[in-house]
Amino acid sequence: MAPPTLYGHPMSPPCRLVRLVAGIIGVDLKVVDLKDSGIDMKSPDMLKKIPQHTIPALEDDGLYLAESRAIVMYLISKYAKDDSLYPKDVNKRVLVDQRLFFDQDLYNRILNVARPKFYGEQKDPSSIDKVNDGLDTLNRMLDGKQWLAGDKITLADYAVANSLSVLEFVPESGIDPTKQPNIKEWLPRVESSHPKYVESLKELREGLKKMAQK
Ligand SMILES: N[C@@H](CCC(=O)N[C@@H](CS)C(=O)NCC(=O)O)C(=O)O
């Protein structure tokens, strides 16, 4: 069977999450870089398959899927050797799900801080406060805990840590998640949990350097 195809871009944070999780669970993706392939996600053909026109988008054996978190849930459920990253037990899984919904909101808050820099939008002074409020929540979620959802690292830890990495695009915002004591201890724990995470961060930082040189 053909490997799952990921339509994406190397610097897109949600695409990075999909590549990271696929790497951790050992799924080989065929990665199609939109920039090089000339594929237009808004062409009638692509919109028929992926109505949402966003990347990452996954094509797997006739299935088309947008939304990074849905994609990684699917990849783990279908291909991972065990369910530790996304437990089958509903009482464990619901905690991961809750954190992933929280992560979607936190990611959007962080994106609102980055948008003026990348899309020339007007700055909203309250956007920084909203991220810091999200970080306060994250810090409380980690109180007395090693991991975000349960007693093992899960998809939730990878998704939230990946969202926080978006702050590296906007160091001038002054937002520093490691000012929060629980986040300060948790973040290096996630980062050193798997060589693929170290690789993912390295790629991000090299990409940021290239962007700064342009
Ligand atoms: N919530 C979505 C966000 C996806 C998203 O906004 N992707 C951006 C690139 S990072 C995109 O495709 N933008 C182009 C568009 O919206 O048409 C996810 O996690 O996959």
Side-chain angles (χ1 to χ4, degrees):
M1 207 165 69
T5 300
L6 173 72
Y7 298 95
H9 183 280
M11 289 300 280
S12 149
C15 296
R16 291 183 47 246
L17 176 67
V18 175
R19 292 206 329 275
L20 168 68
V21 171
I24 291 173
I25 62 174
V27 171
D28 273 331
L29 295 173
K30 177 182 164 201
V31 179
V32 176
D33 183 345
L34 283 200
K35 197 167 42 60
D36 301 335
S37 67
I39 289 175
D40 178 4
M41 297 301 284
K42 290 186 177 166
S43 69
D45 183 43
M46 287 308 278
L47 283 177
K48 211 179 273 176
K49 296 170 179 164
I50 301 158
Q52 198 167 324
H53 65 69
T54 51
I55 53 166
L58 189 84
E59 178 179 351
D60 189 23
D61 198 21
L63 172 81
Y64 293 93
L65 203 55
E67 287 294 338
S68 56
R69 294 163 193 79
I71 293 171
V72 286
M73 287 165 168
Y74 165 76
L75 288 176
I76 295 169
S77 304
K78 180 137 186 187
Y79 295 110
K81 287 180 190 73
D82 61 55
D83 70 345
S84 71
L85 285 182
Y86 192 49
K88 290 195 176 95
D89 177 339
V90 73
N91 290 310
K92 292 182 179 168
R93 175 176 288 214
V94 72
L95 261 188
V96 180
D97 288 339
Q98 194 279 333
R99 289 346 186 204
L100 290 173
F101 284 108
F102 164 77
D103 174 53
Q104 172 78 74
D105 178 59
L106 180 64
Y107 176 78
N108 285 334
R109 291 182 191 208
I110 294 172
L111 205 58
N112 285 339
V113 171
R115 292 187 79 89
K117 180 170 183 175
F118 293 100
Y119 304 111
E121 291 175 8
Q122 210 169 354
K123 279 190 184 170
D124 171 1
S126 72
S127 62
I128 291 186
D129 292 343
K130 286 178 185 160
V131 173
N132 281 324
D133 171 69
L135 294 176
D136 286 343
T137 304
L138 178 60
N139 197 59
R140 284 192 295 274
M141 286 173 169
L142 286 165
D143 224 7
K145 306 217 162 63
Q146 296 270 307
W147 306 109
L148 261 177
D151 54 8
K152 288 189 188 132
I153 192 164
T154 65
L155 183 48
D157 297 280
Y158 287 121
V160 175
N162 183 66
S163 293
L164 294 190
S165 75
V166 178
L167 288 166
E168 298 198 21
F169 285 84
V170 277
E172 65 280 10
S173 71
I175 301 171
D176 179 3
T178 64
K179 280 186 188 154
Q180 303 266 6
N182 298 329
I183 301 177
K184 186 178 180 180
E185 287 184 11
W186 163 80
L187 208 47
R189 208 176 287 137
V190 180
E191 289 173 3
S192 60
S193 67
H194 199 285
K196 290 285 175 194
Y197 199 97
V198 179
E199 212 177 281
S200 167
L201 267 187
K202 193 168 160 249
E203 273 175 30
L204 169 72
R205 288 172 186 159
E206 282 168 3
L208 285 171
K209 243 188 230 163
K210 278 190 200 148
M211 279 168 69
Q213 282 158 4
K214 273 187 193 161

